[in-house]
């Protein structure tokens, strides 16, 4: 049974995939559902949900379409989350591979760097980085990745340290296989599954961090984000709570979907444990 079929055999995996599929469909269909700039003034201000068929979720204080902001915000959240997780995974896997495979002083030096990044909470590191460098989407992605790469690095190192002592790795050394070839052909494929399972958690954390930065006014002001929508609704929370509740619910559902997918992925990879080697 393939890993994907094992993922679909778990309730968590199915639920997570369903939620993420709906979000991805909404993000991809954003230009069709709401063409044009989602930040443009489209109608009367503070129009409540379902009061006008043209604005199913109402409008905000400036008359911007809440539905447009919601679906374009999904694009932002997914894009930032996936990009930050990918960057963090690449950096973490490379550092973990180098530390675990090289050993000795290289391992000690790299692990002290990892320790230094793990001491600082990821959100505080991202907040300081964005505040110092400036606000833009690439900077936000890099800031989130800098706060998230240490865990994949440590997990990759632990996997490499265990796998490099296996008999098939010793056999590869005996037949004269180059160390780099051993690292990428024999060790890395077997070390990746647990690290990949961690990537879903990093995506969820990245989405929350991006929303928190946007809520504080440190996100890209030229694009629609759920964090900025929640912040926009604070001043009219008593009279128009939907302005904060709708994007807040979307954020909660997205993180829930990612965590459910992560649980299903862990179960699917766990069922395969011990057979990849």
């Amino acid at each position: 049974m393939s890993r994907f079929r094992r993922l679909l055999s778990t309730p968590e995996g199915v639920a997570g995939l369903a939620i993420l599929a709906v979000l991805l469909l909404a993000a991809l269909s954003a230009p069709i559902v709401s063409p044009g700039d989602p930040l443009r003034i489209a109608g009367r201000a503070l129009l409540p949900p379902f009061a006008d068929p043209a604005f199913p979720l109402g409008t905000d204080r400036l008359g911007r379409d809440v539905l447009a902001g919601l679906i374009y915000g999904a694009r932002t959240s997914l894009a930032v989350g996936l990009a930050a997780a990918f960057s963090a995974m690449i950096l973490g896997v490379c550092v973990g591979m180098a530390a675990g495979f090289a050993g000795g002083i290289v391992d000690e030096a790299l692990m002290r760097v990892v320790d230094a990044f793990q001491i600082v909470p990821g959100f505080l590191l991202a907040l300081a980085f964005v505040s110092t460098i400036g606000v833009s989407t690439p900077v936000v992605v890099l800031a989130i990745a800098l706060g998230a790469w240490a865990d994949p690095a440590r997990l990759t190192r632990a996997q490499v340290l265990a796998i490099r002592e296996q008999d098939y790795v010793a056999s590869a050394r005996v037949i004269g296989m180059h160390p780099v070839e051993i690292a990428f052909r024999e060790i890395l494929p077997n070390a990746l599954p647990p690290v990949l399972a961690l990537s879903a958690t990093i995506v969820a954390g990245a989405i929350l961090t991006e929303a928190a930065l946007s809520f504080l006014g440190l996100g890209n002001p030229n694009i629609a984000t759920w964090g900025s929508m929640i912040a926009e609704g604070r001043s009219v929370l008593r009279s128009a709570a939907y302005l904060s509740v709708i994007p807040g619910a979307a954020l909660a559902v997205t993180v829930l979907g990612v965590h459910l997918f992560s649980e299903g992925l862990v179960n699917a990879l766990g069922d395969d444990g011990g057979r990849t080697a």
Side-chain angles (χ1 to χ4, degrees), residues 4-218:
F4 183 71
R5 291 180 63 185
R6 283 196 297 274
L7 176 63
L8 293 180
S9 68
T10 63
E12 301 90 346
V14 173
L17 277 176
I19 293 173
L20 293 179
V22 171
L23 288 169
L24 183 61
L25 181 62
L28 293 177
S29 62
I32 300 174
V33 176
S34 180
D37 186 1
L39 300 180
R40 73 184 187 281
I41 297 175
R44 182 165 60 88
L46 293 178
L47 190 67
F50 312 117
D52 187 338
F55 306 104
L57 297 182
T59 59
D60 66 5
R61 292 189 308 153
L62 300 178
R64 296 175 295 193
D65 188 358
V66 174
L67 177 61
L70 193 70
I71 57 179
Y72 276 94
R75 302 183 86 184
T76 302
S77 293
L78 291 176
V80 170
L82 292 174
F86 179 78
S87 303
M89 292 295 293
I90 291 296
L91 179 58
V93 167
C94 290
V95 172
M97 276 288 297
F101 194 74
I105 190 172
V106 174
D107 183 18
E108 287 293 327
L110 290 177
M111 284 301 99
R112 297 296 76 76
V113 175
V114 171
D115 290 340
F117 275 86
Q118 283 191 312
I119 290 173
V120 183
F123 176 70
L124 292 182
L125 181 61
L127 183 64
F129 190 84
V130 173
S131 301
T132 303
I133 303 299
V135 175
S136 68
T137 300
V139 171
V140 170
V141 170
L142 180 58
I144 296 172
L146 286 176
W149 71 272
D151 287 337
R154 189 170 291 279
L155 181 57
T156 301
R157 172 183 176 270
Q159 292 293 313
V160 171
L161 289 175
I163 293 172
R164 74 177 186 178
E165 304 301 328
Q166 298 293 321
D167 292 339
Y168 63 90
V169 177
S171 299
R173 293 194 186 98
V174 169
I175 64 175
M177 187 178 292
H178 194 276
V180 175
E181 191 176 5
I182 293 174
F184 285 96
R185 290 188 58 183
E186 303 294 336
I187 296 180
L188 183 59
N190 293 288
L192 273 182
V195 183
L196 291 178
L198 182 63
S199 64
T201 303
I202 296 177
V203 171
I207 291 174
L208 286 174
T209 302
E210 185 277 329
L213 291 173
S214 297
F215 181 83
L216 295 175
L218 294 175

